[in-house]
Every structure is written in structure tokens, then in C-alpha cells.
Amino acid sequence: MQEILQFDDLVLRLLRLDEDAYLIDNSDERLSLIIVGGGALILQKYISRATHDIDAIQVSPMLMKLLGKYDINCRVSAYLNNFPYNFEDRVKRLDLNTRKIDFYAASLEDIVIAKLHSHRDPDIADIESVSVLAALDWDVLERLALDESELKSSTLSERSYKEFLHLYQLYVGRFRP
């Protein structure tokens, strides 16, 4: 049975991963890991629910052998096409006192786009949270959703993009102030 992780558990898990990475390589080279999904929303304090794992979309190669020990899931990389093309430009560094790893979270707007793309009920519930809706930069969200050089250029098919666009328009119609 998987462990249920709250905010403090997630932070502790990341700090332990950082310590393990430092024990393997204590050079000055910094490693990075970009967290997405519910874990990113929890770590940025947009939602307060629990999660079973941490989803990471980009990870320094040296860390790959340690991730299973900490229930950090890199299979989410298969869904990279659900993120706007330049999502790396908008990541937010998590304020953790680390020795080896810089942890980042995808921007709120990028996470909302990816969760709309997923069509899963728990993902939709996350992005309908009052705190998520209050913190969203709706203009940035619109640019990421509609600009030809963002989500449309990373989505695998025109059909998939049209399905996303339908969900996006419903979301904006219901929640945009």
C-alpha cells in the first residue's frame, strides 16, 4: 500500500533525496528536478490534499537511480506534450535548503493546462480549487492555451488540441473573473 503524503512529508522526502545525492557526489555541481502535478500544487501551497507520489518531468540523469526509493515518478514525461512548449521558462524554484539539488515546480498556469489536458476528475478538482483560481494569471493561461508557439506546438495531434480547447473554454467560462 502506498504512503499518503502531505506537504511536510513531500518536503522531507525531497530533502532526503537531496542528502542521498550529496552523499553520492559532494562536488559543487548542482542537479535539478522539475515537479509537476498535484505534488507541485501541494508544495507551492495551492492545494492542501495528500498525494501518493511526486511527479517529475525533468530530472538530472544522476538522480534517476535514486527516484524509486522516494516514490518520484518520471513516467509523467510521457505526457510532456500536455505542457506548453516553453514550460521550462516559467518554472518556480522551491524554497528548500538543499545541498545538491535545485527543486523546481512547473508554473501554476502550466499545471492547469496539463491538468485540463488530462481529462481526469481528480486533476479537474485540483484546478477548480478556490486558491488555484485566485492565484491564476488568466492572461498568461490564455496565451499558453491559444498561442501557436505554446501548447498547440507541443500537442501530439490536432484532435487532442481541440479536445483540450473545448475543456479550456468550459473552464474559462465557468471560472474566469
Side-chain angles (χ1 to χ4, degrees), residues 79-141:
Y79 300 101
L80 191 57
N81 60 307
N82 291 355
F83 286 84
Y85 185 70
N86 297 306
F87 80 93
E88 299 96 337
D89 297 341
R90 292 175 297 277
V91 297
K92 311 287 185 203
R93 190 168 191 274
L94 297 174
D95 187 23
L96 300 174
N97 186 20
T98 59
R99 299 169 76 173
K100 187 68 179 173
I101 306 170
D102 293 321
F103 293 101
Y104 299 90
S107 76
L108 179 59
E109 293 75 21
D110 288 306
I111 293 170
V112 167
I113 296 274
K115 284 183 170 279
L116 280 170
H117 225 301
S118 80
H119 303 241
R120 295 183 314 194
D121 290 339
D123 289 329
I124 300 303
D126 284 348
I127 63 174
E128 291 179 354
S129 148
V130 172
S131 56
V132 166
L133 294 169
L136 263 176
D137 183 325
W138 289 93
D139 293 332
V140 169
L141 184 68

Side-chain angles (χ1 to χ4, degrees), residues 3-128:
E3 189 176 349
I4 296 176
L5 305 168
Q6 302 282 343
F7 175 85
D8 291 339
D9 304 314
L10 293 173
V11 169
L12 183 60
R13 193 160 288 210
L14 295 177
L15 292 176
R16 286 183 177 159
L17 171 62
D18 177 67
E19 188 63 29
D20 274 0
Y22 183 76
L23 290 173
I24 291 170
D25 177 6
N26 63 4
S27 71
D28 290 337
E29 177 191 4
R30 299 292 293 183
L31 305 175
S32 65
L33 186 144
I34 299 175
I35 300 167
V36 297
L41 293 177
I42 295 165
L43 288 163
Q44 294 179 90
K45 299 183 178 179
Y46 291 121
I47 61 173
S48 58
R49 71 167 173 84
T51 187
H52 291 286
D53 64 3
I54 299 169
D55 294 323
I57 203 156
Q58 285 189 353
V59 179
S60 292
M62 196 282 273
L63 295 174
M64 294 304 287
K65 60 186 169 215
L66 296 174
L67 298 183
K69 179 178 177 181
Y70 295 98
D71 288 324
I72 297 177
N73 171 21
C74 287
R75 292 180 309 275
V76 73
S77 293
Y79 300 101
L80 191 57
N81 60 307
N82 291 355
F83 286 84
Y85 185 70
N86 297 306
F87 80 93
E88 299 96 337
D89 297 341
R90 292 175 297 277
V91 297
K92 311 287 185 203
R93 190 168 191 274
L94 297 174
D95 187 23
L96 300 174
N97 186 20
T98 59
R99 299 169 76 173
K100 187 68 179 173
I101 306 170
D102 293 321
F103 293 101
Y104 299 90
S107 76
L108 179 59
E109 293 75 21
D110 288 306
I111 293 170
V112 167
I113 296 274
K115 284 183 170 279
L116 280 170
H117 225 301
S118 80
H119 303 241
R120 295 183 314 194
D121 290 339
D123 289 329
I124 300 303
D126 284 348
I127 63 174
E128 291 179 354

